[in-house]
Amino acid sequence: MNRSSKKNSDSRQSKRSTHGRGEVRRERLFGLTFIAVATAGMAIFIWLNYLSVRSLGDSPSPLAVLGKQAWQRAGCVECHTIFGNGGYNAPDLTRVTDRRSDKEITDWLTTGPVIRPTTKTAHVAVAPADAESILEFLKYIATVPNMWDGQPGKPKGAGR
Amino acid sequence: MKAQRPDGASMSDIDRSARVAVPYALAVLALLSFQVVAANVGAIHLVLPNLNIPIPFESGRATHLNLAVFWPMLGLMGATYYFLAHDLQTTLWSRRLAAVQFWVIIAALLAIYASLLLGYTEGREYLESPWPFKLLIVLGFLLFTVNIVGTLAKRPGQALKPVPLIVAFSVPVSGLLLLAATFSYHNPSVDEMVRFWIVHLWEEGSLDILASVAIVALLARSKGVPGRTIEGWLLVEAALVIFSGALATGHHYYWIGLPAFWITIGAVFSFVQVVPIGMLVYISFRTARGMGRGRRSGEGRSSGGSPRHSDWGLSRATYFILSAVIWNITGAGVIGLVMTIPPVNRYIHGTYVTSGHAHLALGGFFGFLVLGLVLYILDRYRPTDAAGRRDVDLSLWLLNAGMGLMGLSLLTAGALEVYRLRVLAREFMWVQSTLRPFLALRSLGGLIFGLGGLLFAWGTARPWVWANAPGFARPALKPLFRKSSLQKPPEAEAQ
């Protein structure tokens, strides 16, 4: 092991006598390269993020924003997913407004029925105003242009 | 009676200064214990949903995800202080500032877990907490940056050396990323976007390079490859991690409503990301192999420049780090790579496959790595006694077995879920009910892991909790649970 690693450094550093100075020069070169590459990576990334944000479609309406806040307060994401991100033990809601009527959704949200697989735990229930705004938020989510429908194996728009 | 270091060497100034890492390491043990308890309760709750558990599921899950990011972070902070002081061969700029930073972060974490358990979840995944507490952690990163810059200023000639350079890049960048992710944004796509600046860009970017530094610094302490060679590789690895890691964030942007170019960029750079993982594996195993040889032949040079200490801590820390590297190859390297291929991701995204991957890549890689670092640092200052060593040895097996079982059962559950839900398009709740046996197996894995975690914490924290107790660190205390209460240590009798 020691021998092979010596060979390694020898091949880069042909003369032992200049080892010290060459070492410092190489160190500086490596260091500056690191700074350049890492900064470039982050800069390109930030720039692409900026482009992405600029190309976003319509902003959510004020009611949908209220809905987003209500969605966060109720902790929906701990069980449900949106765009496939969130908890894995309840259905994805990205396109739930395509599958269910407005009334079905608001009724569900305000009554908070007992949910499978439990026989006694109820779904979180929210105030009617919150239910309306969450519905608006979910409608907005369904319009966000992306390829995510949560069910690639199924033709789009089919009921479940 | 204080425990004596086996080699009897007096601590140098550097060692005394680097001791700021100890509170970080002890806090990791406390948070690890909290984590395994919280996680196990949550896992059981998933299998037996009718069970009466006082903590709501959403609070438990938020706490679990939050801890999974923060305890490795805390451990890496401590290890960074420790290894930076040794690498620069200087004392830290301010020990007091490091302590203030520690308490700021601990205060923030306590406030966060209290608010989460009281039900104040944020409703945005991963680092859920009220935003003022996240700002406190950003403040912690600011203090960290100041201290690191101050320390580097003591040795300006060394600033371009690999370890100081990577640390000086990583720490402020991590703080800035956290700052960006502190606030919630109105547009859900933007909200999703910045979330991954933490959970992706920390773990596969800025904290990843700190982890590489710690791995190399620790392994370089043993006899093996000269520091120069690995440190040269380290810089190349770190540069690749940051460049590919930043652009590979795209693999989290596939479906959140951002432009489609991310699908190409994310997929391509996810492949590039494998290169630094391979390099890290190469570096680690090459050094670990060299270590064995050096010990046998009794020659080779210690590149760390610090006095050698008890072999036990270093050798066990190495086992933990090699475990981390193995989980990094499997969980992050192989599984993570396959998952990021866009057509595959379309099927597995948002299933238990993701969960399995996250357990292996975060708990497996960062978890085991930080446990290794914690073990090394604590052992350096106060070696544990024979019983503690036995506990740690056993915990290594339990933790690995538990992690393996958790990962495997989650991945199996995920594979079935993908087939039944995404391919056959069966009803969601029916699919979930078919996964319960595998979630039960996961829970078993979690119990094994949790037992290992508690045993590890118990074993390594012993000299810090009971160091002043009479008779500590004496072999007479070996059978900790049964006989120790019957045997009176001689000191106690003398009193």
Side-chain angles (χ1 to χ4, degrees), chain A residues 12 23 26-27 30-31 34, chain B residues 83-84 86-88 158 160-166 212-221 225-239 279 283 287 301 303-305:
Chain A
R12 283 187 210 157
E23 191 68 33
R26 203 181 67 191
E27 214 170 74
F30 268 67
F34 167 78
Chain B
F83 288 119
L84 188 69
H86 282 281
D87 189 82
L88 288 174
Q158 308 267 310
L160 278 181
K161 282 198 150 199
V163 170
L165 185 57
I166 292 173
S212 312
V213 165
I215 290 178
V216 168
L218 191 136
L219 294 180
R221 241 123 253 271
V225 180
R228 276 197 295 283
T229 312
I230 6 179
E231 287 195 348
W233 279 100
L234 181 63
L235 264 185
V236 178
E237 195 255 1
M279 287 174 68
I283 292 168
T287 319
R301 69 189 199 88
S303 48

Side-chain angles (χ1 to χ4, degrees), chain A residues 100-117:
Chain A
R100 307 277 187 197
S101 73
D102 292 2
K103 192 171 174 338
E104 272 180 302
I105 293 174
T106 47
D107 282 354
W108 179 275
L109 285 174
T110 45
T111 49
V114 170
I115 39 169
R116 284 176 298 159

Side-chain angles (χ1 to χ4, degrees), chain B residues 326-344:
Chain B
I326 290 169
W327 294 123
N328 197 21
I329 304 173
T330 50
V334 176
I335 298 167
L337 175 68
V338 172
M339 285 169 60
T340 54
I341 301 169
V344 177

Side-chain angles (χ1 to χ4, degrees), chain B residues 280-313:
Chain B
L280 189 63
V281 171
Y282 172 74
I283 292 168
S284 312
F285 279 93
R286 199 175 147 182
T287 319
R289 207 175 46 169
M291 181 175 75
R293 290 212 188 147
R295 208 164 42 221
R296 269 201 298 282
S297 64
E299 55 185 17
R301 69 189 199 88
S302 166
S303 48
S306 64
R308 276 171 56 80
H309 75 109
S310 75
D311 271 334
W312 184 84

Side-chain angles (χ1 to χ4, degrees), chain B residues 20-85:
Chain B
V20 298
V22 165
Y24 289 88
L26 291 174
V28 165
L29 298 179
L31 290 182
L32 168 73
S33 310
F34 181 30
Q35 169 75 313
V36 296
V37 173
N40 270 301
V41 171
I44 291 170
H45 200 174
L46 258 186
V47 181
L48 303 170
N50 268 345
L51 217 59
N52 273 326
I53 289 173
I55 298 163
F57 181 78
E58 58 268 27
S59 291
R61 182 170 181 276
T63 308
H64 173 54
L65 293 187
N66 188 304
L67 277 165
V69 177
F70 278 137
W71 74 254
M73 177 202 81
L74 209 55
L76 278 177
M77 282 180 164
T80 302
Y81 273 133
Y82 183 85
F83 288 119
L84 188 69

Side-chain angles (χ1 to χ4, degrees), chain B residues 373-390:
Chain B
L373 299 173
V374 162
L375 175 61
Y376 177 76
I377 291 169
L378 290 182
D379 179 71
R380 187 117 171 77
Y381 290 98
R382 271 189 211 176
T384 189
D385 60 351
R389 290 183 175 198
R390 245 195 352 242

Side-chain angles (χ1 to χ4, degrees), chain A residues 63-79:
Chain A
L63 185 59
V65 170
L66 282 181
K68 179 170 179 291
Q69 285 154 359
W71 160 277
Q72 287 183 209
R73 267 200 312 278
C76 308
V77 80
E78 307 298 344
C79 299

